[in-house]
Amino acid sequence: MVEDKVTKTFKVKGMSCAGCARKIENNLNKIDGVYATVNIATEKAIVTYDPEKAREKELFDLVESLGYKLIDDTEEDSQMDLVKKRFLISVAFTLPGIVIMIIDMLNLLEIPYIDLIQIFISVPVIFWAGFHIIKSSIVSISHRTFGMDVLISLGTLASFMTGVIRLLGFNIANYALVGAMIMTIHLLGRYLETLAKGRATRAISQLLELGVKKANVIRDGEEIEVPVEELKIGDVVIVRPGGKIPSDGVIVEGDTYIDESMITGEPIPVKKTIGDSVIGATINQSGVIKVRITRLGKDTFLSQIIRLVEEAQGSKVPIQELADRITGIFVPVVLVISLGVFLFWLIYPEAGRAILVNFSSIFPWINLENNTISQAISVMVSTLVIACPCALGLATPTALIVGSGIGAEKGILIRSGKSIEIMKDVNTIVFDKTGTLTKGRPEVTYIWSKLNSEEFLRIIASIENNSEHPLARAIVEYAIKKNIPLVKVESFVSIPGRGIRASLDGKEYLVGSVNFLIENGYDPSIYGERLGALERETNSIILAADETEILGIVGVSDAPKDNAREVIEELKSLHIKTIMLTGDSKKNALYMKEKLGLDDVIADVLPQEKMMIIKQLQSQGRVIAMVGDGINDTPALKQADVSIAMGTGTDIAIEAGDIVLVNGDISNVLNAIKLSKEIFKKIRQNLFWAFFYNIIAIPLAGLGLLHPVIAEIAMAFSSINVITNSLRLRRFNFD
C-alpha cells in the first residue's frame, strides 16, 4: 500500500443487513483512488483513499445519498439507545393490538371499529418505529439494490394495505396488525443483534477502557496531576505501585515489576529498571518509578493494537465473497419467488387449499376460512419476511470479530481475515532462528571453575561489568540474578575482539577467548574434551585465568526458548513439517535441529535468499506459514502464504505479519493455528445453518405452512443463532 494513502475507520449508521453493507462498499469502491470494506457486524467501514484523487466529503456525501450516514468513529454513538427506543415504542402499541386480535379471534367480545383500530395501532409501529427501514428500502430500490429492508418493508406494507383495502369495502382479511407484529419482531431481532454484536466486539471497548485518564507529571520541579491529553513527548511522569503507566515511555529512575498481561497475555509481571521501555496502560506492581514519555495518542502501542484488532474485525475471509455474491442476487430472487407464490395461490387456490388441509392438524395457525386473495397475500408476506439474507451476511464477520478479540486477549493479533482461511491448509511452518526459536539474547548456559562458584562469578562478573559487549552483559546479569556482589576493578584494559586484562584485589586476571589465552601462554588443551562439548552446543566460550593458571570456563549462547521443543513436537503431531531457515552456520543449525527435533534446517542463508527458498517450497505444493522477527525476514514473511511476526513489547514489527504474536512466545504459533482453525470451523457452521435455514424455510412459506408472524420470528431467530454460535468461540480453550 502506498504511503501517501490514508486509512480511516468510520461508523456507518442505518445499515440493517449484509445487502446494505455490500451496497455501500460497492459504491465507495467506484470512486477513483478509494478501496473500502464495509462490515455489517461491526457496522464500520474501513476506507483507504488517495487524498489527491478523493476527498473525505465525497465519501460522506455518497454514503448519505445511498440512505445511510458515515460518521467519524470517534464521534459518540447512541445507536444502541435508538434501537432500544424504537423496539419499546413498537411493543407499547403492538401488545394491546395482540390482545384485541385474540379477543376478536375467539369471539369473546364484539369490538366496534376493529378494522380501524388495527390500522390505528399499526401506523406508529410501521411508519414511526419502522420508518427508517421503509426509507432505506425506498433508497435501495431507487439505486436498484435490494437488501433485507426491501423484504421487510414490502411484507409490512402489503399487510398494512390489506387493512386499508378492507376499510374501502373489499372482502379481504385485515393483516394490518400482522404487519405491525412483523415490524415489532424485526425490531426485537435488531435489538438482540445489537446486544450480541456489542458482546462480540467488546475486545475493542475493553482495550479502549484500559487507557489512563490522568497522569502525575513533573513540571518546573513540582509534581502536578494533568489529563493524559495534556502530556507532551519528553515529559517525566511519576508512577506509584498499583498505578497505570499513562503512555509509552522509558524508565529514567527506579525499578519495579510491570504487569503487561493486557498486552502479552502473560500473567507473570516483568522486571523493569532504568533504560527499559514501558507500555502505556500496563500496571506498575511494586516500586515508584519515573518514566520519560516517548509516544502519545495514536502512536502508542495500545493504539496500534486497537487499530490492528479493528482492521482484523473489518477484514474479509475469501469464503465470504461467495456469501456476498449470493446475498447480492438473493433478494431479487426472493421477490420473484414471492410474486410467483402469490400468483400460484391466486390462480390455483384449490391446489393450495389441498396442501393446507393436509397440514392443518400440524400447524395450528393455518386458517382454512381465508378467501383466495387473503390466502395469496398471507403466503406472499410469509415468503418475503422469512427469506432474509441477514444470517448469511453475519455468518463470517461475527466469527472473525469474536475470534480476533479472543486472540488479542491472548497476545495473538490476527491482522488478515484471509490468513484464517489459509491457515487450516498450512502443512509447513518455516521458522527463523534468532529471536524466534531462540531467546534472541546471549545468556550463561554453562559454568565450570576450580574455585568456589560464587568466588569465580564474583571475579569474572566484576571484570566484565566494565565492558559493554553482549557476552559480558550476559555474565553480569547472571551474577546479579545469583545475588553475587560485584566489586570495583583496579585496572581494566580491553583488547577488541580478543579479551580483557584487569586487576582485582591486587591480582592480575585475563578474561577472553580460547585463542586470547593461548596467545598469552596458557594451555587450554587440558580442557579439550570440555571445550569440544561446549563448541558442539554452539556456545561462545569465555575463559578466565589468574597470573598462573586457567581458573574456569563460562559458556554463553542464545539458548532455545524453553518450550520450543514441545511446540515443534506438537506441530509435527498435527502433520505439519517444521523447517528452520537461518543465516547461522550449518554446524549451529544442525545442533538446533537435534536439540529441537526439527524436520529440516537450511543454513548460511542471506535475508534476501530466504524469500527464494520460500518460493521453492511453495513450488513443491507446500502451503507455508513463515515465523520470523518481522524485520530482516520481511521479504520471506510477505512471500509466505501466512506470515507470523514475532515481537516483544513496543518493538513489535506490527506491519510485518498477517498474524502478530505480541509477547514472542513460541507456543502462540501453535495457539494461532488452533484459534484460526476454530474460527473457520465456526464460519463453516454459520454458513451451513444460514443456507440450510433458507433452503427449508422458503419452501415452507411458499406452501402456505408459515403464518407471517411465525415467519418473521424464524427469520429473527436465524440471525441471532448465527451470532450466538459465534459467541461460543469465547469458550475456546487453547490447551
Side-chain angles (χ1 to χ4, degrees), residues 14-64:
M15 290 196 300
S16 59
C17 73
C20 302
R22 184 180 174 85
K23 175 172 63 174
I24 298 167
E25 184 177 292
N26 288 344
N27 280 277
L28 283 172
N29 286 328
K30 288 177 184 175
I31 301 175
D32 188 30
V34 173
Y35 174 72
T37 59
V38 182
N39 192 315
I40 179 61
T42 57
E43 296 181 338
K44 288 182 181 178
I46 297 174
V47 184
T48 301
Y49 64 95
D50 184 343
E52 292 184 4
K53 294 181 179 178
R55 291 175 300 117
E56 201 167 289
K57 185 177 184 302
E58 192 178 352
L59 309 178
F60 281 65
D61 291 345
L62 172 68
V63 173
E64 195 161 340

Side-chain angles (χ1 to χ4, degrees), residues 246-381:
S247 193
D248 294 0
V250 175
I251 296 177
V252 294
E253 186 179 310
D255 53 22
T256 186
Y257 283 87
I258 303 285
D259 177 2
E260 296 184 337
S261 58
M262 67 94 174
I263 292 293
T264 65
E266 294 297 322
I268 301 171
V270 182
K271 184 171 175 56
K272 299 278 185 176
T273 188
I274 294 171
D276 288 338
S277 296
V278 289
I279 302 169
T282 56
I283 302 169
N284 181 20
Q285 292 276 300
S286 50
V288 177
I289 54 172
K290 291 183 179 178
V291 176
R292 187 178 69 251
I293 301 300
T294 57
R295 293 182 186 178
L296 289 167
K298 63 181 176 60
D299 296 323
T300 63
F301 184 65
L302 181 61
S303 295
Q304 289 175 315
I305 295 294
I306 291 169
R307 177 175 60 81
L308 279 183
V309 177
E310 284 183 329
E311 285 179 3
Q313 294 184 342
S315 66
K316 289 191 176 183
V317 182
I319 197 173
Q320 189 176 341
E321 293 174 8
L322 170 65
D324 285 349
R325 284 197 299 270
I326 291 171
T327 302
I329 62 170
F330 189 81
V331 175
V333 168
V334 168
L335 291 173
V336 171
I337 291 172
S338 299
L339 179 61
V341 297
F342 175 76
L343 293 173
F344 170 82
W345 284 86
L346 209 58
I347 299 168
Y348 304 106
E350 291 307 316
R353 181 174 174 77
I355 296 170
L356 297 183
V357 168
N358 287 329
F359 287 94
S360 59
S361 59
I362 302 173
F363 301 108
W365 50 78
I366 289 177
N367 185 358
L368 296 174
E369 295 180 8
N370 266 346
N371 60 33
T372 299
I373 184 69
S374 299
Q375 188 60 46
I377 290 172
S378 174
V379 174
M380 179 187 70
V381 170

Side-chain angles (χ1 to χ4, degrees), residues 675-714:
L675 179 59
S676 297
K677 289 185 174 182
E678 193 65 21
I679 291 171
F680 197 75
K681 179 180 167 185
K682 285 294 176 195
I683 289 172
R684 282 184 300 200
Q685 288 175 356
N686 287 347
L687 287 172
F688 169 79
W689 286 113
F691 279 116
F692 179 79
Y693 159 81
N694 280 298
I695 289 167
I696 297 298
I698 293 175
L700 285 176
L703 291 171
L705 303 180
L706 293 182
H707 188 279
V709 172
I710 302 296
E712 175 57 29
I713 291 171

Side-chain angles (χ1 to χ4, degrees), residues 102-129:
I102 291 170
I103 291 171
D104 181 60
M105 286 171 63
L106 298 177
N107 294 315
L108 298 176
L109 187 67
E110 184 72 29
I111 301 175
Y113 307 110
I114 186 166
D115 291 325
L116 191 59
I117 291 171
Q118 289 192 49
I119 291 175
F120 176 78
I121 289 173
S122 302
V123 166
V125 176
I126 297 172
F127 297 102
W128 187 88

Side-chain angles (χ1 to χ4, degrees), residues 426-438:
V426 164
N427 53 28
T428 304
I429 296 189
V430 177
F431 293 93
D432 175 45
K433 173 177 170 276
T434 306
T436 301
L437 289 173
T438 68

Side-chain angles (χ1 to χ4, degrees), residues 38-163:
V38 182
N39 192 315
I40 179 61
T42 57
E43 296 181 338
K44 288 182 181 178
I46 297 174
V47 184
T48 301
Y49 64 95
D50 184 343
E52 292 184 4
K53 294 181 179 178
R55 291 175 300 117
E56 201 167 289
K57 185 177 184 302
E58 192 178 352
L59 309 178
F60 281 65
D61 291 345
L62 172 68
V63 173
E64 195 161 340
S65 74
L66 297 173
Y68 308 94
K69 189 178 180 187
L70 207 63
I71 60 172
D72 193 291
D73 198 30
T74 56
E75 189 178 315
E76 185 178 356
D77 180 30
S78 57
Q79 185 69 11
M80 173 72 77
D81 292 337
L82 183 59
V83 172
K84 184 179 179 180
K85 181 181 177 182
R86 286 168 175 162
F87 166 62
L88 291 177
I89 287 175
S90 65
V91 167
F93 281 92
T94 305
L95 282 179
I98 292 172
V99 173
I100 290 169
M101 192 164 69
I102 291 170
I103 291 171
D104 181 60
M105 286 171 63
L106 298 177
N107 294 315
L108 298 176
L109 187 67
E110 184 72 29
I111 301 175
Y113 307 110
I114 186 166
D115 291 325
L116 191 59
I117 291 171
Q118 289 192 49
I119 291 175
F120 176 78
I121 289 173
S122 302
V123 166
V125 176
I126 297 172
F127 297 102
W128 187 88
F131 177 71
H132 63 291
I133 294 168
I134 294 170
K135 180 184 174 185
S136 173
S137 69
I138 293 169
V139 174
S140 292
I141 293 169
S142 70
H143 285 89
R144 295 186 298 280
T145 58
F146 303 94
M148 178 186 67
D149 287 349
V150 173
L151 298 179
I152 296 300
S153 296
L154 289 176
T156 52
L157 290 174
S159 300
F160 178 79
M161 287 307 297
T162 59

